[in-house]
Amino acid sequence: MNDTKRSATLGVSLVGLGLLAFVTMGVDTRQANPPASPEKALEISATVETHPVPHDEDAADDLAIWVHSTEPAKSTIVGTDKQGGLGVYDLAGKQLQYLPDGEMNNVDLRGDFPLSGQQVALVTAGNRSDSSIAIYRVNQTSRLLENVAARKITTLEVYGSCMYRSRKTGKFYYIVTSKKGEVEQWELYDDGTGKVDGKKARSFKVGSQTEGCVADDELAHLYIGEETVGIWKYGAEPDAGTSRTPVDKTGTGGNLVADVEGLAIAYGTDGTGYLIASSQGNSTYVVYRREQSNQYVKTFRIAGGNGIDGTSDTDGIDVTTAHLGPAFPHGVFVAQDGHNDNGNQNFKLVPWQLIIAGIRNGDRLRQDFPGSLRTPRPELSPL
Ligand code: CA
Ligand code: CA
Ligand code: CA
Ligand code: CA
């Protein structure tokens, strides 16, 4: 499509959809990702599911993957139970710990946080019980979480949250979003006594209700989901300002169906890889290129298979391309499941190479993993 046609199409579709924000903000009037051809979503099955969360109804929400630095098969999933706490699961889905610390909605983590002369993995969650930042370190030996919050750090009325580690300054940040469409970015630091404190570094408005967010640490981007509108790309540094570009949108002309929920980044080499979004309204996951203008790549869903039900109404997601031992040799994609066939909500784990192979082949894969899929070639990951 040439630029003239693109502008004309954009103008008509924007009026039709009422998405005037893309124009009136005056920031970037490029069309967000053009819609996919109406192909059927790729279907892939999970190979592992976690124990259900303790609370019933809508309780599980978001998760983060902790990668064990020396024994990758001992990596864990930290998942939220937004009715009351935070769970830790091993890669077989077994619950190792449950912390009834409050209504944790979203969770994220970053490694190598300097605390009392050690490098620790820091986990943060937005606690909706009191709009505070829940802060833990991962005990490398026990794999369990230990509370290291210096105090009750109260933020805006928390909804979503994520983390960012600056390559430029080495600083770590907690980013929190709200139902009013507001964002706050908090710098996290060692308070000198082995605890972690925070100070607000910036705040800005996105628009309407926002929850999911993810930062690209290498490229210094911050992606935010405006639930009924689409995905925005901001600068992640606290002095980056509020200029933004649309990545994709809901409704006609977009690849997303509201709500836009969890966002995750699959890091490849040399700045490549993928941005993935949970398109909750049609229970799919939308894949974009991580680099440049986040070109649309593929849509997939997690279908039933391997004795595990498929996922639907997904909130949070996370992905890693790190080797996690024999069950997940090229990493894992994990999604919250809004309707678990066997009890309360839980999290489903999909080997990352199945998604990569599906993206590349564009067809349904045989699902009787392991064994059916040829041994993944080394170049399949990272990609
Ligand atoms: Ca939900
Ligand atoms: Ca939401
Ligand atoms: Ca399900
Ligand atoms: Ca959610």
Side-chain angles (χ1 to χ4, degrees):
M1 186 184 293
N2 64 41
D3 285 338
T4 310
K5 276 187 179 172
R6 178 175 297 178
S7 301
T9 306
L10 180 64
V12 170
S13 65
L14 284 178
V15 170
L17 290 167
L19 292 175
L20 288 166
F22 283 170
V23 170
T24 55
M25 291 303 292
V27 286
D28 192 326
T29 54
R30 291 178 316 153
Q31 184 177 20
N33 256 302
S37 56
E39 59 180 324
K40 192 170 181 294
L42 178 72
E43 292 190 349
I44 304 171
S45 296
T47 57
V48 171
E49 62 182 325
T50 67
H51 282 164
V53 297
H55 289 87
D56 61 8
E57 300 186 341
D58 197 19
D61 197 277
D62 190 32
L63 68 302
I65 303 160
W66 173 67
V67 178
H68 194 295
S69 57
T70 55
E71 297 175 86
K74 289 188 174 176
S75 299
T76 61
I77 310 293
V78 182
T80 63
D81 174 345
K82 62 188 174 191
Q83 307 288 352
L86 207 55
V88 179
Y89 307 90
D90 67 19
L91 293 182
K94 183 186 166 198
Q95 182 184 296
L96 304 176
Q97 182 182 27
Y98 182 75
L99 291 166
D101 288 358
E103 296 171 1
M104 307 295 177
N105 197 58
N106 286 179
V107 61
D108 202 1
L109 63 81
R110 288 293 186 275
D112 299 328
F113 182 86
L115 189 63
S116 291
Q118 287 185 289
Q119 305 277 305
V120 306
L122 205 65
V123 175
T124 65
N127 187 348
R128 296 188 69 195
S129 297
D130 53 13
S131 285
S132 67
I133 313 175
I135 312 175
Y136 307 88
R137 62 179 284 179
V138 179
N139 181 313
Q140 173 98 5
T141 307
S142 69
R143 301 185 284 169
L144 306 184
L145 302 182
E146 299 170 354
N147 190 341
V148 290
R151 61 187 176 92
K152 182 182 289 189
I153 307 165
T154 306
T155 66
L156 55 67
E157 190 172 356
V158 56
Y159 193 34
S161 59
C162 58
M163 293 179 74
Y164 170 58
R165 180 190 183 191
S166 170
R167 291 288 171 98
K168 193 167 118 186
T169 62
K171 290 178 177 174
F172 289 71
Y173 297 95
Y174 167 84
I175 294 149
V176 56
T177 62
S178 81
K179 289 195 173 187
K180 291 178 181 164
E182 301 159 326
V183 178
E184 286 181 358
Q185 181 163 355
W186 287 71
E187 183 188 337
L188 302 175
Y189 57 92
D190 182 345
D191 78 344
T193 70
K195 301 287 188 183
V196 177
D197 208 335
K199 62 184 175 194
K200 190 158 67 176
R202 73 163 162 170
S203 57
F204 60 93
K205 284 189 196 304
V206 172
S208 61
Q209 182 162 309
T210 57
E211 184 179 1
C213 59
V214 68
D216 185 324
D217 289 3
E218 287 180 358
L219 303 180
H221 300 315
L222 173 62
Y223 297 95
I224 298 179
E226 188 176 4
E227 291 195 336
T228 63
V229 175
I231 303 169
W232 296 103
K233 182 187 201 174
Y234 290 85
E237 290 294 327
D239 62 358
T242 54
S243 71
R244 62 183 186 178
T245 54
V247 172
D248 201 355
K249 61 187 176 184
T250 60
T252 307
N255 299 291
L256 296 162
V257 179
D259 292 350
V260 181
E261 281 282 335
L263 298 170
I265 289 172
Y267 286 90
T269 53
D270 301 324
T272 65
Y274 300 100
L275 167 71
I276 308 176
S278 170
S279 175
Q280 191 178 53
N282 63 350
S283 298
T284 63
Y285 311 97
V286 184
V287 183
Y288 310 90
R289 291 211 174 277
R290 182 181 157 224
E291 64 272 18
Q292 297 175 352
S293 59
N294 305 109
Q295 182 190 359
Y296 169 85
V297 175
K298 197 80 185 173
T299 297
F300 72 95
R301 68 176 72 248
I302 301 178
N306 307 311
I308 301 171
D309 59 301
T311 59
S312 56
D313 292 330
T314 293
D315 286 301
I317 56 175
D318 197 10
V319 62
T320 178
T321 53
H323 168 74
L324 298 183
F328 301 102
H330 297 270
V332 66
F333 173 81
V334 187
Q336 181 260 4
D337 182 15
H339 304 275
N340 178 23
D341 281 3
N342 301 303
N344 294 340
Q345 293 180 340
N346 68 350
F347 303 96
K348 262 72 171 179
L349 287 68
V350 179
W352 177 240
Q353 76 271 14
L354 297 183
I355 296 169
I356 287 294
I359 286 171
R360 290 192 167 183
N361 298 337
D363 55 14
R364 193 187 163 99
L365 297 162
R366 294 170 61 196
Q367 293 298 315
D368 45 334
F369 184 89
S372 68
L373 190 79
R374 65 185 185 277
T375 304
R377 297 188 305 275
E379 67 268 28
L380 283 180
S381 179
L383 187 124

